[in-house]
Amino acid sequence: MRTALEGARKGAPATELVSDGTSAASLLRHINAWLDEAKAEEVVTIDLKGKSSIADFMVVASGRSDRHVGAIAEQLQLKLKQQAGVRARIEGLEACDWVLIDARDIIVHVFRPEVREFYKLERMWSADRPTEAQSH
């Protein structure tokens, strides 16, 4: 089975790179490596399968300052395009408090530490999905 990067090198369309769980998991490993390379801090991966249809995985990371957050996001967007063939959408670069990178099946949030603490996305998305509603 080809990895996302191998598929990109062989000219596979970007939509095929992350269309199944295996490819998304492979791309996730690359994203985590690229975040480590960019010196992102406190990187947390959340499996969203069965919790939401927006993506298979969510990655939450911190940068030390607004400049660091912006640099991490721009570097990740560039690596996704050049090495994985994924044209990721990016939002929040103007302020760099919270930057969201949408790589289809993987959503990456890069925060300044105090903004991350305020929103607490990990706590919200890491919780188990509620079971069927109980009648009162």
Side-chain angles (χ1 to χ4, degrees):
M1 178 176 285
R2 295 185 318 181
T3 66
L5 292 178
E6 290 168 339
R9 288 187 189 116
K10 297 204 186 312
T15 54
E16 291 180 17
L17 296 175
V18 291
S19 61
D20 63 36
T22 306
S23 296
S26 175
L27 183 58
L28 177 65
R29 285 190 297 277
H30 291 291
I31 287 172
N32 281 321
W34 295 330
L35 288 170
D36 186 54
E37 206 175 278
K39 306 291 189 229
E41 299 176 348
E42 299 181 45
V43 178
V44 175
T45 300
I46 302 166
D47 189 344
L48 295 179
K49 287 181 245 133
K51 293 181 183 181
S52 176
S53 61
I54 61 170
D56 289 340
F57 298 100
M58 179 182 295
V59 178
V60 182
S62 295
R64 293 180 301 278
S65 65
D66 57 346
R67 291 185 73 181
H68 189 214
V69 167
I72 291 168
E74 287 175 344
Q75 182 176 337
L76 183 58
Q77 184 183 34
L78 185 65
K79 296 257 187 193
L80 283 163
K81 182 179 177 184
Q82 290 180 341
Q83 296 184 27
V86 175
R87 290 194 181 273
R89 294 184 307 175
I90 191 166
E91 294 187 29
L93 272 177
E94 300 79 29
C96 292
D97 287 339
W98 174 0
V99 179
L100 181 142
I101 300 115
D102 181 353
R104 292 188 193 89
D105 290 340
I106 302 169
I107 296 177
V108 182
H109 299 272
V110 185
F111 289 99
R112 280 190 305 113
E114 57 274 11
V115 177
R116 182 177 180 171
E117 177 60 30
F118 179 80
Y119 286 104
K120 300 180 186 199
L121 285 185
E122 299 99 311
R123 193 173 79 191
M124 180 178 16
W125 284 99
S126 293
D128 289 332
R129 185 176 174 179
T131 56
E132 290 185 34
Q134 298 175 356
S135 60
H136 295 286

